[in-house]
Amino acid sequence: MMLRPRSGRGYPLSVASNMECIGLAAGDRAEFARLIEQTLSSADLIAKVNRTSVYAWQDPSGARLVISTEDRQIVDLLPSFAGTVGALLSGVKVANDEVAVGKVVDDEGETMTMLAIELEQRRMLAGAAPAGGAASIVALGNEVSVFADKDSFANSDASLISPGKDAGDPPAHVAELGMSWPPRMAAESFMSYGVFGPPEQAQAHAWLYGTVLTAQTRTTQLTGQSFITTRVRTVGFEVDLCLPATSAVPEPGNIIGGHVFLVASMPSLLGSDAARSSKRSWLPWRRGPRTSAS
């Protein structure tokens, strides 16, 4: 099997950590390769765009991989989760080879926030007009914390907009208005890094905090590894936040958040293409010389 690095950069370390968030961690590159071979053997072809075939594999736990191939070589791998629709997106367009950007809007079309995402159907978006519609948003979190409630979060360093820095004395207008100092983020807050700066440098990382609505532990059938899924309400949308099962399961009403990787799914982009219902797997393999995954 040949793993061709995305954009010539090699598979970043975040791929491995994101895989852990959905119970698909691999101990080394050889195990990683075997894992991908297993998933592709039962993956469904969901679309074909020019020379690129897009496959989707989903475990009963909801763990999902979207894999793109060209000439039976892997060119793209996206860990995801079978999330629930929780956002209305507008103006979604390609920023670079990996990331799309768009707006989260309310029922009236008013912008609530903007985000940068890795979109499961991004191959269908390339070259097309900006898209919109209902979407499920998944946050893969390896650097997140849980707080008992809003007050606990508000009193923590995690809520500081500039943690680790001396905020100094409050400006005059802050003192006059009786505002709190130093400035802190709300318990339900969101900031997507990828919407700032040049599009070619956009990445699907964000700071996200929100209120836990539900939470549970799931076990990926393929590996036997467990992970935690939480339904979280934040500014303008709801998200399925997945994280490794290395701590207690959060409870409804807790505040959870931190640094996350954002994935979105907009099934409407698949249209009525016949590939949606195809059940062909990626086998038989074309086995090329093994290459380093980095």
Side-chain angles (χ1 to χ4, degrees):
M1 176 178 60
M2 178 177 288
L3 298 181
R4 184 189 302 167
R6 293 195 298 180
S7 304
R9 297 204 310 258
Y11 288 104
L13 292 177
S14 59
V15 170
S17 57
N18 288 340
M19 296 279 276
E20 185 180 3
C21 289
I22 55 172
L24 291 174
D28 54 34
R29 296 184 191 281
E31 185 179 346
F32 180 79
R34 288 194 298 271
L35 180 65
I36 300 307
E37 181 170 352
Q38 286 180 283
T39 58
L40 273 171
S41 68
S42 58
D44 294 334
L45 176 67
I46 61 171
K48 191 170 181 62
V49 181
N50 299 322
R51 294 175 52 239
T52 304
S53 298
V54 183
Y55 295 85
W57 170 86
Q58 185 169 307
D59 187 81
S61 65
R64 179 187 290 170
L65 293 179
V66 178
I67 304 170
S68 298
T69 69
E70 290 180 6
D71 301 324
R72 297 195 178 276
Q73 295 180 344
I74 298 171
V75 295
D76 190 80
L77 168 67
L78 180 62
S80 188
F81 176 75
T84 303
V85 169
L88 185 60
L89 303 185
S90 176
V92 180
K93 59 183 180 181
V94 171
N96 56 48
D97 287 344
E98 299 171 5
V99 177
V101 296
K103 297 181 290 186
V104 178
V105 299
D106 62 15
D107 292 338
E108 305 296 324
E110 294 295 323
T111 299
M112 305 296 291
T113 188
M114 297 185 67
L115 45 65
I117 50 178
E118 289 215 18
L119 186 65
E120 289 187 8
Q121 300 83 12
R122 71 179 180 83
R123 296 282 179 179
M124 284 63 82
L125 186 63
S136 59
I137 309 294
V138 174
L140 303 178
N142 282 287
E143 193 178 338
V144 299
S145 301
V146 179
F147 303 87
D149 50 34
K150 292 181 180 179
D151 289 339
S152 296
F153 174 73
N155 292 323
S156 73
D157 289 345
S159 68
L160 293 170
I161 292 179
S162 300
K165 296 182 180 180
D166 183 3
D169 296 328
H173 72 279
V174 171
E176 291 174 2
L177 295 174
M179 299 169 61
S180 62
W181 188 262
R184 295 177 180 271
M185 293 184 291
E188 295 184 4
S189 54
F190 175 77
M191 181 177 68
S192 178
Y193 307 137
V195 298
F196 305 102
E200 62 272 15
Q201 297 179 11
Q203 295 185 341
H205 296 282
W207 278 106
L208 182 151
Y209 285 95
T211 303
V212 175
L213 303 178
T214 61
Q216 61 180 302
T217 299
R218 299 194 180 202
T219 300
T220 301
Q221 188 177 93
L222 179 63
T223 62
Q225 299 173 21
S226 296
F227 64 103
I228 295 171
T229 66
T230 62
R231 185 69 171 178
V232 177
R233 183 184 65 228
T234 189
V235 177
F237 62 101
E238 291 185 6
V239 58
D240 290 288
L241 193 160
C242 303
L243 61 154
T246 56
S247 59
V249 178
E251 299 178 356
N254 287 169
I255 302 300
I256 189 172
H259 185 71
V260 300
F261 177 83
L262 294 178
V263 182
S265 177
M266 295 179 63
S268 60
L269 288 174
L270 290 174
S272 57
D273 195 303
R276 291 185 63 183
S277 60
S278 173
K279 295 299 181 182
R280 288 183 293 154
S281 77
W282 204 70
L283 293 181
W285 296 96
R286 168 180 292 183
R287 295 184 181 275
R290 291 186 180 275
T291 62
S292 171
S294 64

